[in-house]
């Protein structure tokens, strides 16, 4: 029966003049575990159709915080992980869940807050000094608190500022949400928040929020990609996953990343090491 169905299928393709390769290419897919910042910034909606057109491989994105994205990789539920927390990524490789981490692109974090700026941090370039002022003023601050790359960076900055905000202070709001929803919360509260520039540029519900602190070298935000180790998980789509990684770091992939802009402003800067 299966042979009959297959013959009918192939005959239909011939009648419609559809190349077999095109049909089977459409069946190729990988699961990409990535961050809400790459997804909510609009980068994937821009980039992945170009990749699919070139290779026939569909990329199915699971967008969560970096910590969760890495955990999905640890379970073998993704073929490729594309995140932005270098220490956590290096640990992922050390644990044997990937054999190599490859840098792809970067942007930066920015401190967002209300135009009224009750903590008087505007114009400063030191993120840790800004956080000290916010804490001293007990001005509303919204944290993603979701073990994402952005949350990990935020906690490093608080630690560098000598402050532990996660002790139930009323001014410190933990949302446990992605970048977009957290920005919505900050907009509703007229509060401060750390955000990646890419999501901020694509965010529409800004209200009175503006960028208040930027340009600190500590705010550098690197993204890396890893193929989940097929030696640990034999079902991983090694060939197609590697094809996606190779494209990301190729001239074509890097040019596509660089060409993604909102209102003329570039969101991500390719820096794959050749």
């Amino acid at each position: 029966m299966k042979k009959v169905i297959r013959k009918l299928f192939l005959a239909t393709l011939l009648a419609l003049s559809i190349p077999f390769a095109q049909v089977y290419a459409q069946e190729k897919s990988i699961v990409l575990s990535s961050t809400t910042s790459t997804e909510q910034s609009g980068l994937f909606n821009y980039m992945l159709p170009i990749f699919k057109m070139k290779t026939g491989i569909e990329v199915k994105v699971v967008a969560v915080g970096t910590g969760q994205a890495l955990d999905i990789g640890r379970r073998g539920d993704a073929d490729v992980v594309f995140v932005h927390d270098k220490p956590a990524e290096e640990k992922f490789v050390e644990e044997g869940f990937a054999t190599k981490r490859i840098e792809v692109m970067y942007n930066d974090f920015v401190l967002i807050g209300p135009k009224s700026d009750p903590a008087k941090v505007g114009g400063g370039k030191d993120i840790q000094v800004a956080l000290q002022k916010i804490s001293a003023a007990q001005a509303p601050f919204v944290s993603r608190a979701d073990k994402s790359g952005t949350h990990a960076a935020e906690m490093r900055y608080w630690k560098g500022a000598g402050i532990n905000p996660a002790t139930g202070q009323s001014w410190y709001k933990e949302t446990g949400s992605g970048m977009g929803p957290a920005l919505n919360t900050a907009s509703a509260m007229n509060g401060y928040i750390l955000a990646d520039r890419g999501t901020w540029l694509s965010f529409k519900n800004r209200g009175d929020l503006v960028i208040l602190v930027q340009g600190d070298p500590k705010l550098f935000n690197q993204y890396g990609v890893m193929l989940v180790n097929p030696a640990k998980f034999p079902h991983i789509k090694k060939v197609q996953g590697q094809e996606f990684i190779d494209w990301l770091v190729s001239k074509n992939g890097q040019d596509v990343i660089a060409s993604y802009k909102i209102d003329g402003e570039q969101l991500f800067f390719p820096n794959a090491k050749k």
Side-chain angles (χ1 to χ4, degrees), residues 185-207:
T185 301
S187 179
M189 293 178 60
N190 241 11
Y192 294 90
I193 185 171
L194 183 76
D196 69 281
R197 189 181 294 269
T199 306
W200 170 251
L201 288 174
S202 62
F203 183 65
K204 304 302 181 186
N205 183 33
R206 296 182 178 182

Side-chain angles (χ1 to χ4, degrees), residues 94-253:
E94 289 170 6
E95 293 170 342
F97 291 104
T99 60
K100 182 167 57 174
R101 171 189 174 272
I102 302 172
E103 295 190 344
V104 177
M105 63 188 188
Y106 70 92
N107 61 7
D108 62 343
F109 294 112
V110 289
L111 183 66
I112 307 297
K115 292 176 184 176
S116 59
D117 191 17
K120 303 294 186 268
V121 302
K125 288 194 174 182
D126 189 319
I127 183 62
Q128 291 171 181
V129 169
L131 293 180
Q132 289 169 347
K133 290 181 178 180
I134 291 170
S135 175
Q138 295 193 356
F141 185 95
V142 176
S143 171
R144 285 180 58 174
D146 63 347
K147 297 182 179 179
S148 62
T150 304
H151 180 229
E154 179 210 319
M155 298 316 293
R156 288 196 298 271
Y157 303 147
W158 282 117
K159 184 177 180 180
I163 298 167
N164 178 13
T167 55
Q169 294 102 317
S170 59
W171 57 272
Y172 187 75
K173 170 75 172 178
E174 296 179 295
T175 65
S177 63
M179 195 72 257
L183 279 167
N184 278 322
T185 301
S187 179
M189 293 178 60
N190 241 11
Y192 294 90
I193 185 171
L194 183 76
D196 69 281
R197 189 181 294 269
T199 306
W200 170 251
L201 288 174
S202 62
F203 183 65
K204 304 302 181 186
N205 183 33
R206 296 182 178 182
D208 288 331
L209 299 185
V210 294
I211 294 177
L212 292 172
V213 177
Q214 59 184 326
D216 187 335
K218 292 187 290 293
L219 293 171
F220 180 78
N221 181 29
Q222 178 70 52
Y223 287 79
V225 68
M226 297 171 288
L227 178 72
V228 176
N229 192 350
K232 275 188 176 290
F233 304 103
H235 63 274
I236 293 299
K237 295 177 180 176
K238 177 181 177 180
V239 173
Q240 294 170 20
Q242 189 62 53
E243 189 170 353
F244 174 65
I245 292 171
D246 291 344
W247 180 81
L248 274 181
V249 302
S250 71
K251 184 180 186 307
N252 181 236

Side-chain angles (χ1 to χ4, degrees), residues 50-51 54 247-259:
I50 297 173
F51 172 70
K54 185 174 182 65
W247 180 81
L248 274 181
V249 302
S250 71
K251 184 180 186 307
N252 181 236
Q254 296 277 281
D255 287 347
V256 169
I257 291 169
S259 67

